[in-house]
Amino acid sequence: MERIIMSWDYTEWPVFSSPAGTDPYPDVRSRISPDLASDLGRWATDMCVAYADETGLTQPPTSTADALDERFADLVDRLRGEGVRVERGECWWREHN
């Protein structure tokens, strides 16, 4: 699998993109363990709850945002551990925090 970027955009599953690759949105779920797929979905859902709307007016407490960012970094590391060539995308949602 080519190098991909993991990010999030108000969805209940992370956004995986491959801007330089042949598939702009690669199917990562079919290449990883069920446990990791479940944890990715849980993180994305928790992000939806924490950031609640797309206006940037609803921000979680700093401690919650920090914990979600730590989970993001951990999930990227776990993806790498399962052989996925992934980079952590920009945490654009923290711009308002």
Side-chain angles (χ1 to χ4, degrees):
M1 177 181 267
E2 56 208 28
R3 182 188 61 84
I4 60 173
I5 298 170
M6 176 181 157
S7 190
W8 174 78
D9 193 14
Y10 298 97
T11 56
E12 293 181 353
W13 179 253
V15 175
F16 292 97
S17 59
S18 179
T22 55
D23 182 358
Y25 297 103
D27 177 18
V28 173
R29 195 182 313 237
S30 67
R31 300 173 183 251
I32 60 175
S33 68
D35 286 343
L36 180 50
S38 176
D39 289 347
L40 286 164
R42 192 170 15 264
W43 170 78
T45 299
D46 290 348
M47 290 287 289
C48 288
V49 171
Y51 288 91
D53 65 56
E54 297 183 36
T55 65
L57 296 176
T58 303
Q59 295 290 307
T62 301
S63 60
T64 299
D66 290 345
L68 287 166
D69 287 353
E70 286 177 28
R71 285 172 59 196
F72 183 30
D74 178 63
L75 290 165
V76 168
D77 288 342
R78 288 176 60 194
L79 284 162
R80 289 177 182 150
E82 292 198 15
V84 178
R85 294 179 57 209
V86 63
E87 293 180 21
R88 181 178 165 163
E90 184 178 338
C91 296
W92 57 265
W93 52 86
R94 290 301 296 259
E95 293 175 5
H96 303 288
N97 227 358

